[in-house]
């Protein structure tokens, strides 16, 4: 009907448009009636118990468990941990909510759900902020965001995004020992108690990791992946040198968070790594180990 | 051409020219004569049977003609009770005919034979020394339906339209077993694949076992998400002598809440992801309505009780869920109109609750999830509200509730001039409902969790009566198409809670089960 209205407006003259519009607008007596109802309006229904309690601070949805999330402990997923650390560094107060990829508007975690400004939650809608817009969000909300400008920044970032990430994907999902000891406990067990569902999700996860690696090379060569990662750690170690933070900053920044996202998880003995090739490669770079400890103490209370 | 003589002409004309009136009269006479003959023949037969109805007979042999694929072991339990050998006293002819008739109806109910199934009775040849004088033979002629059929089409369900393709295998093992493979895509159910194997138990068409497997994805715009289902179940259905239907079902299903809309609320985001429901459901139905879609007399009561997760059921969710649906219809006589006036009053009442239970043996119970909770409102239940328009709302999402009650009263009046026999009515309705989440007693320690759930439940139920229920009234047109009921209503919501979504003005509803 709306289409018809438009067409007439386009072909007919202005008066005809008005007539057609009048035809579809609510006649005054009916409008008067509509304005009178509902006669009684009560306060809203309460919300079901399972929903998260409303909060004054924004919520960062990450891979975690309820206990760790409430305590603000590091997430076990590198990209979640990167942005969690970034928000901590930027001084953006937030709470963590343990979640999974299905909850995200982009299909992957993390994302930030801004806090309602007023107490009246149902009246306004604040869109979720995906991870690639978090820097902008932080700078708009009084966060301390300082990005060093360095010509080689992109190159080092790509070391993390490709070489180290690929080795990470391999060691976590495709090393059978690590998959059953680490990935299964973190990503599969919490989804469901059903063995069939767990088997299906395990398969999906491993297939996705494999597909991701095959995107970049025709074959998956474990030794090659590990040696590339080893070289990448070496390069990062050289870049850091004796500085406290990367690129000679006086305070940590996003790049430090990106490195910490992997170093924290590879050096965390609590995860129970079984095949430790990648962990060993990192442990050999003492300045990276110390860098991780500095961030852990400063932003996560050393836990 | 030579012109024929006058006399010949008139004779010829009188022969060719048929007086239409005379012809009609003749045809009528013929018809009447045939009819009279038929009636006479029938009467004679009835008299014959009537006068012989007490004649003792014994059924010696039952023959099924045309049951090529059907197993003997499947047919024996149906036919054996007919045979006089298996009876403690002899038949009269009347009884025998009655029994044979009911066996034929039973056969029809399996759906593997073409209707109608005809029966014949014959006397066995007297030369056969094994027969006695009272013996009769029963012949049942049934033609088997095709064992394979495929069809495509469109379907209308409650507030949804879909297109489907279906393949059916009938009488697979010769015992009226069927396998139904079905794929459909629709407005709400994005995609659905289903396989259903169905078989009667002990050759009884009223007792059936069904095994099904399902994979589907359904869009739920009222709560900004899509739900994917993968699972299967085992059902046993039976009917009692008084016509009440029961069904006991086990269902195991993997649910996935995914594809969240950008505006999805925190409550929906919190429930996103996977969960497995393992449950046993009992359904009881007593349907005494005189018409499934536009009843004017009778009642319907249906109860559904489901227990999930508890004890050996396991899974990820634990709850006890129970629902009762009732409908009653009453014809209203109008003074001055003889017989059925076509005016009727129908009323419906529904209510349900969901009580969290611990999963497995012991432990604390978890609050309900969005895919287990009830939703209420929409053109097919509480009219005058949007789909899921009643109950708790987080932002624009209808997140459902744990306890509900809804009622409706509709006055249906035939259209002037169209008459009461047309499936068309004007309706005047008032309906109301209330949907609430289980009250949160603010977790007073885990130790008394079990007790507090019970206390929460009672306080929630008592809360249903707080204030007026959310209510809407309206007028509309109802059309009962053989496939579904269509309604176009003008509605006005009168009482609402803030956050609930009413529908002022026109609302269109298509469905099978209306409140």
């Amino acid at each position: 009907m709306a289409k018809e209205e438009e067409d007439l407006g386009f072909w007919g003259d202005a008066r005809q448009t008005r007539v057609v519009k009048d035809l579809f607008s609510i006649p005054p007596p009916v409008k008067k009636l509509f304005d009178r109802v509902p006669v009684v309006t009560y306060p809203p229904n309460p919300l079901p118990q399972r929903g998260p309690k409303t909060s004054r601070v924004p919520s960062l949805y990450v891979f975690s468990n309820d206990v760790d999330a409430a305590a603000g402990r590091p997430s076990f997923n590198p990209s979640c941990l990167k942005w969690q650390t970034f928000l901590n560094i930027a001084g953006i107060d937030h709470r963590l909510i343990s979640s999974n990829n299905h909850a995200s508007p982009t299909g992957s975690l993390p994302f930030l759900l801004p806090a309602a400004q007023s107490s009246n939650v149902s009246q306004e809608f604040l869109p979720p902020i995906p991870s690639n817009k978090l820097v902008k969000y932080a700078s708009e909300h009084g966060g301390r965001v300082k990005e060093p400008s360095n010509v080689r920044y992109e190159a080092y970032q790509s070391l993390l995004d490709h070489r180290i990430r690929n080795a990470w994907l391999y060691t976590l999902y495709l090393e059978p020992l690590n998959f059953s000891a680490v990935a299964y406990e973190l990503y599969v067990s919490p989804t469901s108690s059903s063995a069939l569902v767990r088997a299906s999700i395990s398969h999906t996860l491993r297939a996705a990791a494999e597909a991701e690696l095959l995107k970049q090379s025709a074959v998956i060569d474990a030794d090659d992946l590990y040696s590339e990662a080893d070289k990448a750690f070496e390069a990062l170690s050289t870049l850091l040198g004796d500085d406290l933070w990367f690129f000679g900053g006086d305070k940590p920044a996003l790049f430090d968070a990106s490195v910490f996202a992997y170093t924290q998880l590879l050096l965390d003995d609590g995860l129970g790594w079984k095949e430790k090739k990648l962990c060993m490669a990192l442990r050999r770079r003492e300045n990276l180990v110390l860098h991780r400890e500095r961030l852990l103490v400063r932003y996560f209370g050393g836990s | 051409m030579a012109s024929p003589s006058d006399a010949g002409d008139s004779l010829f004309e009188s022969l060719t020219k048929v007086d239409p009136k005379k012809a009609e009269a003749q045809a009528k006479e013929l018809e009447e004569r045939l009819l009279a003959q038929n009636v006479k023949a029938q009467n004679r037969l009835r008299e014959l049977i009537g006068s012989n109805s007490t004649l003792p007979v014994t059924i010696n042999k039952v023959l099924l003609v045309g049951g090529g694929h059907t197993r003997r072991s499947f047919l024996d339990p149906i036919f054996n009770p007919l045979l006089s050998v298996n009876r403690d006293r002899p038949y009269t002819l009347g009884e025998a005919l009655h029994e044979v008739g009911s066996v034929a109806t039973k056969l029809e109910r399996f759906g593997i034979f073409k209707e109608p199934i005809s029966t014949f009775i014959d006397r066995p040849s007297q030369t056969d020394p094994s027969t006695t004088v009272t013996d009769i033979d029963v012949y049942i002629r049934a033609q088997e339906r095709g064992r394979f059929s495929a069809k495509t089409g469109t379907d209308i369900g409650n507030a949804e339209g879909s297109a489907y393709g279906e393949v059916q295998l009938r009488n697979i093992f010769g015992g009226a077993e069927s396998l139904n493979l079905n794929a459909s895509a629709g407005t709400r159910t994005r995609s659905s694949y289903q396989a259903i194997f169905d078989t009667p138990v002990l050759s009884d068409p009223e007792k059936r076992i069904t095994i099904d497997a399902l994979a589907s994805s359904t869009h739920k715009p009222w709560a900004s998400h899509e739900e994917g289902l993968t699972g299967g179940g085992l059902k046993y259905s039976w009917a009692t002598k008084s016509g009440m239907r029961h069904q006991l079902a086990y269902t195991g299903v993997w649910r996935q809440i995914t594809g969240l809309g950008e505006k999805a609320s925190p409550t929906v985001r919190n429930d996103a992801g996977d969960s497995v429901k393992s449950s046993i459901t009992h359904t009881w139905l007593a349907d005494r309505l005189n018409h499934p879609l536009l009843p004017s007399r009778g009642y319907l009561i249906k109860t559904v009780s489901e227990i999930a997760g508890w004890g050996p059921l396991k899974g990820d969710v634990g709850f006890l869920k129970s629902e009762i649906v009732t409908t009653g219809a009453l014809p209203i006589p109008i003074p001055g109109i003889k017989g059925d006036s076509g005016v009727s009053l129908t009323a419906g009442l529904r209510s349900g609750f969901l009580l969290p239970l611990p999963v497995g043996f012991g432990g604390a119970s978890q609050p309900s999830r969005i895919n287990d909770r009830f939703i209420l409102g929409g053109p097919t239940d509480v009219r005058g509200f949007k789909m899921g328009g009643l109950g708790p709302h987080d932002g624009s999402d209808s997140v459902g509730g744990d306890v509900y009650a809804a009622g409706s009263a509709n006055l249906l009046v035939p259209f002037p001039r169209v008459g009461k026999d047309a499936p068309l009515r004007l309706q005047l309705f008032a309906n109301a409902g209330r949907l609430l989440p289980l009250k949160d007693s603010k977790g007073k320690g885990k130790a008394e969790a079990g007790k507090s759930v019970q206390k929460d439940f009672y306080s929630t139920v008592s809360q249903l009566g707080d204030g007026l229920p959310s209510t809407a009234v309206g007028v509309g047109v109802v059309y009962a198409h053989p496939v579904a009921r269509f309604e176009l209503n003008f509605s006005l919501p009168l009482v609402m809670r803030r956050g609930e979504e009413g529908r002022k003005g026109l609302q269109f509803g298509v469905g099978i089960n209306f409140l």
Side-chain angles (χ1 to χ4, degrees):
Chain A
M1 263 182 230
K3 179 107 170 62
E4 191 183 0
E5 189 182 333
E6 255 174 41
D7 286 348
L8 278 169
F10 185 73
W11 295 110
D13 61 351
R15 217 185 60 181
Q16 202 175 347
T17 315
R18 216 174 302 132
V19 170
V20 172
K21 260 192 187 147
D22 285 349
L23 203 68
F24 288 107
S25 68
I26 302 163
V30 179
K31 188 159 187 331
K32 230 181 241 171
L33 186 67
F34 281 178
D35 288 342
R36 257 187 225 164
V37 297
V39 187
V40 186
T41 306
Y42 290 108
N45 294 303
L47 282 177
Q49 290 173 29
R50 236 176 92 88
K53 304 281 164 284
T54 49
S55 158
R56 291 175 168 277
V57 296
S59 311
L60 185 69
Y61 284 69
V62 294
F63 279 105
S64 185
N65 59 54
D66 290 336
V67 179
D68 286 355
R73 291 201 193 99
S75 161
F76 55 76
N77 174 278
S79 67
C80 291
L81 182 53
K82 170 181 167 178
W83 293 105
Q84 182 189 353
T85 313
F86 168 76
L87 289 182
N88 283 347
I89 291 172
I92 299 288
D93 195 13
H94 64 273
R95 64 167 174 173
L96 296 181
I97 290 184
S98 154
S99 187
N100 59 67
N101 282 338
H102 294 291
S104 169
T106 59
S108 61
L109 292 179
F111 67 95
L112 189 79
L113 208 59
Q117 298 298 318
S118 63
S119 58
N120 200 345
V121 194
S122 59
Q123 294 308 308
E124 54 189 323
F125 168 71
L126 297 158
I129 294 148
S131 55
N132 59 4
K133 299 229 171 76
L134 279 175
V135 173
K136 187 164 166 269
Y137 174 87
S139 60
E140 282 169 2
H141 289 76
R144 296 179 294 276
V145 183
K146 217 183 89 200
E147 283 310 295
S149 53
N150 190 307
V151 283
R152 290 179 304 162
Y153 186 95
E154 294 287 325
Y156 283 107
Q157 184 63 46
S158 100
L159 279 186
L160 285 167
D161 292 346
H162 295 104
R163 293 183 187 192
I164 292 180
R165 177 161 179 267
N166 288 350
W168 166 265
L169 289 179
Y170 184 84
T171 203
L172 180 63
Y173 295 107
L174 301 181
E175 289 280 10
L177 285 177
N178 282 343
F179 184 80
S180 52
V182 185
Y184 192 86
E185 293 304 318
L186 297 178
Y187 291 98
V188 182
S189 299
T191 53
S192 173
S193 59
S194 152
L196 281 172
V197 172
R198 285 180 176 185
S200 163
I201 290 177
S202 299
H203 175 79
T204 314
L205 278 178
R206 293 169 63 97
E210 206 175 306
E212 186 69 21
L213 290 177
L214 286 174
K215 257 191 229 165
Q216 289 160 45
S217 69
V219 284
I220 297 173
D221 179 352
D223 294 335
D224 188 44
L225 287 170
Y226 284 137
S227 92
E228 288 293 318
D230 189 63
K231 281 182 213 158
F233 281 136
E234 182 60 38
L236 287 173
S237 174
T238 315
L239 174 67
L240 183 60
D242 295 330
D243 292 343
L244 283 181
W245 314 113
F246 279 96
F247 299 108
D250 53 350
K251 274 187 354 181
L254 182 59
F255 192 81
D256 296 277
S258 309
V259 176
F260 177 75
Y262 289 102
T263 54
Q264 157 64 18
L265 296 177
L266 287 171
L267 297 173
D268 184 358
D269 292 326
L271 292 183
W273 294 102
K274 293 279 182 269
E275 167 53 63
K276 296 185 175 174
K277 257 187 206 142
L278 198 58
C279 310
M280 299 311 271
L282 178 58
R283 274 192 206 282
R284 282 200 291 275
R285 276 76 196 195
E286 206 185 329
N287 59 348
L288 293 182
V289 176
L290 289 172
H291 174 261
R292 173 244 177 182
E293 249 148 53
R294 274 195 291 278
L295 281 171
L296 193 61
V297 169
R298 201 156 158 170
Y299 295 106
F300 295 95
S303 60
Chain B
M1 200 192 232
S3 68
S5 71
D6 274 13
D9 190 36
S10 66
L11 180 67
F12 186 68
E13 259 179 28
S14 73
L15 277 174
T16 51
K17 226 169 141 191
V18 181
D19 184 4
K21 262 188 198 163
K22 221 186 234 173
E24 204 176 291
Q26 269 175 355
K28 212 171 167 186
E29 204 181 319
L30 191 72
E31 209 173 278
E32 271 169 10
R33 212 182 300 154
L34 272 176
L35 203 73
Q37 250 172 21
N38 258 342
V39 170
K40 230 183 257 172
Q42 264 178 21
N43 278 343
R44 213 177 299 141
L45 196 65
R46 198 176 298 137
E47 259 170 48
L48 193 69
I49 295 173
S51 63
N52 288 309
S53 68
T54 50
L55 192 75
V57 293
T58 45
I59 297 177
N60 181 38
K61 195 155 81 175
V62 180
L63 269 171
L64 178 71
V65 187
H69 286 291
T70 312
R71 263 187 291 131
R72 169 122 203 200
S73 59
F74 170 71
L75 293 171
D76 277 349
I78 305 168
F79 293 150
N80 278 346
L82 272 184
L83 295 175
S84 294
V85 189
N86 302 318
R87 293 172 64 91
D88 45 4
R89 61 188 188 84
Y91 283 115
T92 64
L93 180 61
E95 278 170 1
L97 287 177
H98 179 78
E99 291 295 310
V100 170
S102 67
V103 162
T105 348
K106 203 172 179 183
L107 279 182
E108 275 176 1
R109 289 248 279 288
F110 288 112
I112 54 172
F113 297 111
K114 283 185 183 156
E115 290 182 29
I117 291 173
S118 45
T119 50
F120 305 92
I121 287 172
D122 198 6
R123 295 220 142 211
S125 153
Q126 296 296 322
T127 54
D128 187 346
S130 67
T131 60
T132 61
V133 215
T134 55
D135 267 1
I136 55 170
D137 288 349
V138 176
Y139 291 86
I140 296 176
R141 180 150 58 189
Q143 200 184 347
E144 280 185 353
R145 289 171 73 190
R147 299 179 77 201
F148 174 86
S149 70
K151 61 178 173 181
T152 56
T154 50
D155 222 347
I156 295 168
N158 263 16
E160 121 151 83
S162 63
Y164 68 90
E166 192 179 71
V167 172
Q168 195 177 34
L169 298 169
R170 256 181 240 109
N171 207 6
I172 303 173
F173 306 117
E177 305 88 353
S178 73
L179 179 69
N180 197 309
L181 303 170
N182 177 313
S184 74
T187 48
R188 254 175 53 200
T189 305
R190 294 284 172 80
S191 66
S192 158
Y193 302 91
Q194 209 173 7
I196 304 163
F197 178 80
D198 181 273
T199 177
V201 182
L202 302 172
S203 306
D204 185 347
E206 297 298 347
K207 294 195 179 95
R208 310 193 81 97
I209 285 183
T210 310
I211 302 168
D212 66 347
L214 162 89
S216 74
S217 168
T218 309
H219 184 46
K220 299 193 165 171
W222 58 87
S224 320
H225 71 264
E226 243 167 69
E227 187 181 32
L229 300 178
T230 313
L234 176 71
K235 296 188 184 87
Y236 176 53
S237 332
W238 73 99
T240 61
K241 285 232 165 59
S242 50
M244 287 165 190
R245 310 198 144 270
H246 293 263
Q247 186 180 70
L248 199 60
Y250 169 78
T251 320
V253 60
W254 171 16
R255 296 103 45 97
Q256 196 168 59
I257 291 183
T258 186
L260 265 56
E262 207 215 359
K263 294 198 170 187
S265 62
T267 306
V268 176
R269 288 199 192 281
N270 199 55
D271 276 345
D274 306 278
S275 63
V276 168
K277 179 175 89 171
S278 165
S279 72
I280 290 178
T281 311
H282 174 256
T283 310
W284 176 78
L285 173 72
D287 187 351
R288 299 260 193 280
L289 292 175
N290 63 346
H291 189 284
L293 297 171
L294 199 63
S296 61
R297 196 185 294 271
Y299 65 89
L300 176 147
I301 304 173
K302 183 182 172 185
T303 64
V304 185
S305 318
E306 183 178 18
I307 184 162
W310 179 80
L313 288 169
K314 296 275 173 51
D316 300 321
V317 292
F319 59 78
L320 174 70
K321 192 173 170 178
S322 188
E323 217 178 339
I324 178 161
V325 175
T326 60
T327 303
L330 202 68
I332 296 178
I334 303 290
I337 300 176
K338 267 191 193 163
D340 191 4
S341 65
V343 179
S344 64
L345 180 74
T346 59
L349 262 177
R350 292 178 184 188
S351 71
F353 69 84
L354 190 159
L355 203 62
L357 290 180
V359 173
F361 300 94
S365 58
Q366 296 292 318
S368 60
R369 293 178 186 238
I370 192 165
N371 34 7
D372 295 320
R373 286 192 291 264
F374 299 104
I375 63 157
L376 189 65
T380 60
D381 46 65
V382 184
R383 302 165 184 87
F385 289 87
K386 287 183 183 163
M387 191 75 197
L390 275 101
H393 277 68
D394 189 0
S396 58
D397 285 341
S398 168
V399 294
D402 301 305
V403 177
Y404 87 94
S408 142
N410 308 35
L411 183 69
L412 296 161
V413 182
F415 261 67
R417 284 205 270 184
V418 179
K420 68 181 168 67
D421 295 323
L424 205 59
R425 294 284 185 276
L426 283 170
Q427 78 163 346
L428 192 71
F429 69 86
N431 51 198
R434 204 81 173 84
L435 174 65
L436 283 166
L438 202 61
K439 214 171 163 188
D440 189 0
S441 58
K442 300 282 172 220
K444 290 186 188 105
K446 297 244 159 139
E448 45 178 325
K451 243 184 214 164
S452 80
V453 165
Q454 234 173 51
K455 223 193 291 165
D456 291 348
F457 173 68
Y458 290 124
S459 77
T460 311
V461 171
S462 70
Q463 223 182 323
L464 281 176
D466 287 356
L468 295 165
S470 297
T471 309
V473 295
V475 291
V477 182
V478 179
Y479 170 57
H481 186 270
V483 178
R485 170 163 159 165
F486 294 75
E487 282 191 6
L488 183 65
N489 294 315
F490 180 88
S491 54
L492 289 174
L494 296 182
V495 182
M496 284 169 73
R497 265 78 198 164
R498 223 154 1 101
E500 291 187 335
E501 295 173 285
R503 185 90 179 86
K504 296 177 193 173
L506 292 178
Q507 189 177 34
F508 180 65
V510 185
I512 297 155
N513 308 309
F514 278 79
L515 177 67

